[in-house]
Amino acid sequence: MAHSFYSFAISLFIFLVAIHLPILAWCSGSGFSVELIHRDSPKSPLYDPDSTPSSRIRAAIERSRSHSIYFRNAIHKARRSSSALPMDDANNFYSEITQSNFEYLMSFYLGTPAKKVLAIADTGSDLIWVQCVPCKECYNQSAPLFDPQSSSTYKTIPCNTISCSLLPQRSCHSSSQCDYKYGYGDKSIVKGYLSTETIGFDSTGGHSIQIPTILFGCTHHSKGTFDKNDAGLVGLGGGKLSLIRQLGSTIGNKFSYCLPSSTEASTTSKLNFGSNAVVSGSNVITTPLISGSPNTFYFLHLENISVAGKIVSIGKPMQTNESAQGNIIIDSGTTLTIIDDNSLQSVESSVKSSISLPHVNDPNGAFNLCFDVSGIGASTQFPEITFQFFGGASVVLQPHNAFVEVGQDILCLAMISNGATADSINIFGNIAQQNFHIGYDLANMQLTFAPTNCATQ
Ligand SMILES: *[C@@H]1O[C@H](CO)[C@@H](O)[C@H](O)[C@H]1NC(C)=O
Ligand SMILES: *[C@@H]1O[C@H](CO)[C@@H](O)[C@H](O)[C@H]1NC(C)=O
Ligand SMILES: *[C@@H]1O[C@H](CO)[C@@H](O)[C@H](O)[C@H]1NC(C)=O
């Protein structure tokens, strides 16, 4: 009797393994990686062949400013209310934004049969969503809309569920479906039904991965400045609805990315999950990820910025409870590094006195400190700029992490002020993160940097 039960169990196990092979293949401790495409790379549908380094940086400055406002308002809002807001709340945390406000794209598959979706990858938000049929008041999208009725695995989520309660803004229809409203900027809001679907990825190793029952938003109304090439968004934040938190222990609560220098526009970056996201080596630097509010954002504590050995100490964490709050958000979707006015002025004056090139004004009027590099020679020295994070974690920036070319022979310090108000938040932007493999370990709440040539990774 026992014997036949075991053989039944074994055949059942083999059957399950056969069905779920792609899932088990990486559940058993391996990881996977997907391509991350920068919006301005030739592989991106947003690529504009007529753009120049200076037009791209101008647009990136606008996007960075808008992100800074978004982060600040989201933090204010999270502090004011810990409970979910009703849908009709007009006081949303939205900022002015220019066209598409995001930096990176990634592909994934949704539904059964699977449909490929090109979407924004965003470490600054949680919800995964796509535009769904019917989408009457939606931004214009070039790829076909996702049709939930043509997928056998699509399910909506009822209102009275824990999943629904994870949404910051929700309401219930008479049909008891869970309605959401999720915002990014003044003009960018998506609304729809919280649902579940099978989601899939093409791993860069060549195999494909499928994960059943991932919560996502089927967007039926959208407003704002998304690009027609974005069919949705993948939230990679720290909140429970994000792809990272939903994959949870199956990826060991770990993800990482390695962003190549923006001058190497044709190379793509990788977004890694699970064991592929373990950042190791002799020169790794580790600092705690600090739980903050909202839990979407990845807060760190920046103690100092040192310029050629001169220390600029950064203001205290923005909330009274120091142990619980960081003073800087690390975000892959913000180009520039944004710091408080006093610290920025001190950093600028140290940089200014340690570079012997002539100063010029930024033609865009965005940066305070720019140099004419037409006469640059082998003897021109750039100071070592180091971000010293809590725990003695010194992240040494290379010149390409700290300076951007804004026009012919004009190089500027790639940092802007957060507007000087006391409760503004600092942001560690993606130029500063280039050529570091950066691992987010949400199980141990640690962030790890390893200097890496990301173009050859
Ligand atoms: C949407 O895009 C299509 C194809 O690109 C175009 O024909 C149509 O005019 C656009 N509609 C709006 C409202 O922009
Ligand atoms: C600060 O936050 C920590 C962790 O959340 C908590 O344990 C502590 O009680 C808080 N302290 C104050 C003064 O609020
Ligand atoms: C920041 O600077 C202070 C004062 O020089 C120093 O004591 C501290 O160790 C520095 N912090 C880090 C993380 O290096």
Side-chain angles (χ1 to χ4, degrees):
M1 191 64 195
H3 184 263
S4 76
F5 172 76
Y6 278 123
S7 54
F8 169 72
I10 288 165
S11 359
L12 180 67
F13 177 71
I14 291 168
F15 172 66
L16 290 174
V17 167
I19 293 187
H20 294 293
L21 204 53
I23 302 169
L24 293 177
W26 60 270
C27 279
S28 60
S30 63
F32 69 98
S33 301
V34 300
E35 250 188 26
L36 207 50
I37 306 162
H38 192 268
R39 52 173 294 130
D40 294 332
S41 96
K43 279 197 177 177
S44 156
L46 277 64
Y47 176 67
D48 171 6
D50 297 330
S51 71
T52 60
S54 70
S55 70
R56 289 196 289 271
I57 196 71
R58 257 198 313 277
I61 293 163
E62 284 315 306
R63 293 196 300 271
S64 298
R65 283 192 174 137
S66 131
H67 273 223
S68 153
I69 297 167
Y70 160 73
F71 283 119
R72 186 183 68 207
N73 292 348
I75 290 165
H76 279 189
K77 187 168 163 172
R79 273 194 247 164
R80 276 205 311 274
S81 64
S82 49
S83 59
L85 295 153
M87 293 272 285
D88 57 359
D89 173 50
N91 189 16
N92 289 316
F93 51 79
Y94 310 125
S95 62
E96 272 307 316
I97 54 180
T98 56
Q99 7 127 350
S100 178
N101 208 23
F102 298 92
E103 299 285 311
Y104 289 94
L105 302 171
M106 65 187 277
S107 296
F108 67 96
Y109 293 88
L110 198 64
T112 312
K115 293 281 184 339
K116 192 169 185 172
V117 181
L118 183 66
I120 297 158
D122 183 26
T123 51
S125 64
D126 293 325
L127 186 68
I128 304 165
W129 57 265
V130 299
Q131 291 204 119
C132 288
V133 174
C135 215
K136 287 208 181 93
E137 290 168 53
C138 289
Y139 69 86
N140 208 355
Q141 167 183 326
S142 45
L145 296 169
F146 182 73
D147 184 357
Q149 294 201 333
S150 73
S151 170
S152 61
T153 40
Y154 176 83
K155 283 196 180 65
T156 55
I157 291 286
C159 224
N160 56 346
T161 53
I162 292 173
S163 302
C164 188
S165 72
L166 299 175
L167 288 161
Q169 280 184 280
R170 58 179 183 264
S171 76
C172 292
H173 257 186
S174 49
S175 57
S176 86
Q177 281 168 334
C178 173
D179 271 8
Y180 63 82
K181 177 165 148 190
Y182 207 86
Y184 302 90
D186 267 349
K187 296 168 198 147
S188 292
I189 290 175
V190 294
K191 290 196 234 179
Y193 299 126
L194 190 66
S195 312
T196 57
E197 241 324 348
T198 298
I199 196 169
F201 300 95
D202 276 333
S203 177
T204 54
H207 56 296
S208 57
I209 278 128
Q210 268 199 317
I211 303 131
T213 344
I214 289 285
L215 287 165
F216 82 108
C218 214
T219 291
H220 293 286
H221 291 268
S222 67
K223 217 169 45 171
T225 48
F226 297 102
D227 187 90
K228 65 179 188 304
N229 293 295
D230 309 327
L233 186 146
V234 180
L236 302 171
K240 285 191 172 151
L241 286 169
S242 83
L243 178 66
I244 308 303
R245 287 287 189 195
Q246 289 198 62
L247 295 179
S249 57
T250 57
I251 55 164
N253 289 294
K254 284 185 185 67
F255 76 102
S256 74
Y257 51 73
C258 198
L259 310 174
S261 153
S262 39
T263 56
E264 297 176 273
S266 59
T267 57
T268 45
S269 324
K270 273 186 209 158
L271 178 62
N272 311 299
F273 299 91
S275 59
N276 290 19
V278 174
V279 179
S280 56
S282 56
N283 50 1
V284 302
I285 300 144
T286 294
T287 190
L289 277 168
I290 298 164
S291 307
S293 187
N295 61 6
T296 304
F297 302 152
Y298 296 112
F299 292 96
L300 307 175
H301 185 179
L302 176 65
E303 288 187 7
N304 316 306
I305 299 175
S306 103
V307 180
K310 205 166 160 219
I311 302 274
V312 175
S313 91
I314 304 300
K316 288 282 178 241
M318 72 263 177
Q319 298 206 343
T320 46
N321 190 340
E322 268 186 57
S323 65
Q325 296 292 338
N327 61 354
I328 189 164
I329 292 169
I330 177 166
D331 180 40
S332 63
T334 307
T335 304
L336 303 173
T337 288
I338 303 178
I339 53 176
D340 72 273
D341 218 34
N342 287 342
S343 306
L344 181 63
Q345 283 179 26
S346 307
V347 168
E348 283 168 349
S349 101
S350 300
V351 171
K352 197 170 176 175
S353 62
S354 55
I355 297 184
S356 58
L357 293 165
H359 304 139
V360 287
N361 287 332
D362 174 9
N364 305 314
F367 297 108
N368 299 332
L369 185 59
C370 300
F371 300 92
D372 175 353
V373 292
S374 59
I376 195 167
S379 63
T380 307
Q381 296 277 321
F382 286 90
E384 191 172 270
I385 301 180
T386 304
F387 275 60
Q388 298 176 335
F389 292 99
F390 179 80
S394 290
V395 175
V396 180
L397 302 190
Q398 299 302 312
H400 76 76
N401 293 122
F403 297 91
V404 279
E405 188 190 340
V406 302
Q408 176 96 43
D409 289 331
I410 301 177
L411 206 61
C412 301
L413 183 69
M415 296 180 195
I416 58 174
S417 159
N418 67 17
T421 57
D423 46 8
S424 284
I425 180 74
N426 303 315
I427 303 175
F428 193 62
N430 69 35
I431 291 180
Q433 298 176 48
Q434 288 165 3
N435 286 332
F436 287 99
H437 184 195
I438 302 181
Y440 293 68
D441 177 348
L442 307 192
N444 299 307
M445 287 304 272
Q446 278 198 331
L447 188 86
T448 304
F449 293 88
T452 304
N453 182 349
C454 297
T456 60
Q457 246 237 329

